[in-house]
Amino acid sequence: MSVLEKRGAEPSGQTPPAPDDAGTTNATKTAAEPSRPGRRGLPLILNAVSVVLGIALWWAAAAAGFKLPTPPEVVSRAGTLIADGTLGEDVLASLTRVLIGFGLGTAVAVPVGFLMGWYGIARGLMEPWIQFFRTVPPLAIIPLAVVVMGIDETPKIFVIFLAAFLACVISTFQGVVNVDRTLINAARVLGARDAVIFARVVVPASTPFILVGMRVGLGSAWATLVAAELIAAQEGLGYRMQNAQLYYDLPTIFVGLISIGILGLLMDRILLLAERKLTGWQERR
Amino acid sequence: MTSKPAKISVQGVTKTFALGRDTFTALDDVSLDIADHEFVTVVGPSGCGKSTLMNILAGLETPTAGRALVDGAPVLGPGPERGVIFQQYALFPWLTVRQNVEFGLRTTGVPKAERRSRAEHFIELVGLERFADALPKTLSGGMRQRCAIARAYAVDPSILLMDEPFGALDALTRVKLQEQLLRTWSQDKRTVLFITHDVDEAVFLANRVIVMAARPGRVYDVIEVDPAIERNEAFRLSPEFAALRNRVWHSVYHQEGRTAPAAAGSATS
Ligand SMILES: Nc1ncnc2c1ncn2[C@@H]1O[C@H](COP(=O)(O)OP(=O)(O)OP(=O)(O)O)[C@@H](O)[C@H]1O
Ligand SMILES: [Mg+2]
């Protein structure tokens, strides 16, 4: 009981941290939740206004005689492409490539990054290669990949894999290297052995880094997709746009661009959501 | 008290760190014995090796020369009989207060139900029951420190090594946590090594104040405080306290030859 009354007196005594203390008391309940939509509402409206304005501007430019398709043209082209199934097939083909390449890339990058961060030997062995390939844009690998792997799906997925892998491996490695020594020491004095330290300290502590790496990796994977689909593809958003270019088919190019943008945005949002869920414990500055 | 064997024994411990091509002597031939149930505070200027000494006792660093014994056995690594509270709170930020407190119980294989009830007990002891499921980021400095204390207590160590645990707190919270620490200590009588740079705190808490000096880190002075004195506000305001405080203060801030090493330091650089 004496502890309780002492605690009650505490916030008033802590001159500088007092507002913080009071604020956090509320934050652990629900006070932070209702205030969020209010704060978010305005930017959302601004976003919508901005999008509408942008489309209006585009339309105006097209009407003014710039070599652009008008929004209705693009929408109707999207309609036909959806109706005859082309867009669906293209999206599916592109998504499959990106997801396989990105999935493999992260799946390999995370353990490799951990190994590099945890074991000096692994770092010494792998660092030169990673540093080297980091300076070579994945697209520059395409000619080599085509010669070595042929023109089927393999080289396309490979360059996407490489792009995602490189972005994610470096960030995972950074995460492991940056794990606070005191946290590892704290775990050790609480009786944790290496395996437990790894699973219960190193992994959670580097999760924010891994997720940032994944988001960057996803960006690189998308960025590489169109170029990868230049390699003798039969379908895919990049291929469709490339093909449309031959016939000056601007509406189709627009449909392709917008689809890539929307898909990329959606996937990024999904990762962002995962990031919020998994790294909500971080103190934001 | 003299008949008891030393709970902690530091024997001629020297610790050097490689500093480029040079070596830096953080601890130079430090010897000290701490009896069972004793509350010892260590005070000294920044960089005198207080944390290094604690890390050696915690088993996180090995001495370059000499040895550290706990219960008569050399320290070879961390152990559950030694609880450590770090200068930085070192709470796991992704775990709630309860999960932090349970961490040591999980690693030592305490079954779930017992883990729960023991964590509950220590969370209550430090007055954080309303925040048991809160993440560290939502806690104030004082609350984080209490959580770190609960986490160390939960493993039930016979020795507590505390490195400036109240260093980052405001005066009022600090006094409260000091009193709470003494209350629990007077009940369970753990052996405590408490590092601080605050002279008042060192005197108020201790059975014995160890004053260290820097460059190289060494034991400079030892001041006994009568353990029979009751530690309360009256003691804090008493002339005995003032006298002890004076002595420790002089020992810390007017160390003989204090200017000499500084001059030597500037000559080498
Ligand atoms: N890992 C290390 N490598 C090199 N030097 C170190 C290392 N750890 C500590 N030192 C040096 O040893 C000296 C003592 O450090 P220590 O942290 O023990 O001091 P301290 O008495 O705890 O100081 P403070 O009161 O500021 O916490 C310092 O000069 C520090 O620079
Ligand atoms: Mg220190």
Side-chain angles (χ1 to χ4, degrees), chain B residues 17-19 24 26 44-53 61 87 163-164 195 197:
Chain B
F17 290 108
L19 231 169
F24 176 84
S46 186
C48 68
K50 303 182 294 290
S51 296
T52 306
L53 177 65
E61 304 247 30
Q87 196 163 354
D163 191 358
E164 301 196 27
I195 292 169
H197 58 244

Side-chain angles (χ1 to χ4, degrees), chain A residues 171-185:
Chain A
S171 162
T172 305
F173 163 73
Q174 293 287 351
V176 177
V177 170
N178 279 320
V179 175
D180 191 351
R181 285 262 11 137
T182 27
L183 291 184
I184 293 179
N185 283 341

Side-chain angles (χ1 to χ4, degrees), chain B residues 12 15 67 74 249 262:
Chain B
K15 177 73 186 179
R67 52 189 203 149
W249 183 280

Side-chain angles (χ1 to χ4, degrees), chain A:
Chain A
M1 279 303 112
S2 62
V3 179
L4 260 172
E5 47 180 80
K6 282 182 192 298
R7 191 155 36 84
E10 188 181 279
S12 56
Q14 292 178 316
T15 319
D20 183 57
D21 205 340
T24 54
T25 313
N26 294 336
T28 50
K29 292 173 200 156
T30 46
E33 301 303 320
S35 68
R36 207 176 271 156
R39 238 182 283 148
R40 264 191 194 170
L42 185 64
L44 261 182
I45 294 168
L46 288 176
N47 289 166
V49 168
S50 167
V51 169
V52 170
L53 273 179
I55 293 174
L57 214 65
W58 161 27
W59 202 332
F66 280 96
K67 213 172 174 185
L68 286 175
T70 59
E73 278 178 284
V74 172
V75 170
S76 81
R77 177 58 50 87
T80 26
L81 288 177
I82 290 169
D84 69 9
T86 324
L87 188 63
E89 278 165 28
D90 286 341
V91 165
L92 190 68
S94 291
L95 262 185
T96 310
R97 287 177 189 130
V98 167
L99 287 181
I100 293 177
F102 169 72
L104 286 177
T106 16
V108 178
V110 171
V112 169
F114 273 126
L115 282 177
M116 284 176 65
W118 203 238
Y119 296 106
I121 297 175
R123 186 189 316 182
L125 288 176
M126 279 179 278
E127 201 161 26
W129 295 101
I130 286 174
Q131 287 300 347
F132 175 74
F133 277 105
R134 209 155 75 110
T135 58
V136 180
L139 296 185
I141 303 292
I142 289 181
L144 173 68
V146 170
V147 172
V148 176
M149 301 175 185
I151 53 164
D152 61 354
E153 286 297 296
T154 320
K156 301 180 189 67
I157 289 174
F158 179 75
V159 286
I160 295 171
F161 158 84
L162 202 62
F165 170 80
L166 288 171
C168 193
V169 75
I170 287 153
S171 162
T172 305
F173 163 73
Q174 293 287 351
V176 177
V177 170
N178 279 320
V179 175
D180 191 351
R181 285 262 11 137
T182 27
L183 291 184
I184 293 179
N185 283 341
R188 286 183 66 200
V189 300
L190 290 167
R193 306 254 155 209
D194 269 9
V196 174
I197 291 175
F198 187 78
R200 299 201 55 212
V201 180
V202 176
V203 171
S206 33
T207 306
F209 285 80
I210 296 172
L211 285 166
V212 166
M214 283 174 74
R215 285 181 69 198
V216 175
L218 187 62
S220 308
W222 266 128
T224 318
L225 171 76
V226 175
E229 285 181 346
L230 296 181
I231 317 168
Q234 301 305 318
E235 56 188 356
L237 292 166
Y239 159 78
R240 192 68 52 206
M241 282 158 51
Q242 176 69 16
N243 206 38
Q245 180 203 328
L246 295 175
Y247 303 100
Y248 292 98
D249 179 0
L250 279 171
T252 302
I253 294 182
F254 264 65
V255 172
L257 280 176
I258 293 171
S259 307
I260 289 178
I262 290 175
L263 286 174
L265 193 70
L266 278 179
M267 285 165 71
D268 189 64
R269 287 294 117 149
I270 292 172
L271 278 181
L272 192 66
L273 215 69
E275 197 179 318
R276 289 247 170 83
K277 271 252 150 32
L278 291 172
T279 65
W281 48 266
Q282 284 189 102
E283 299 200 42
R284 308 216 184 266
R285 277 139 294 177

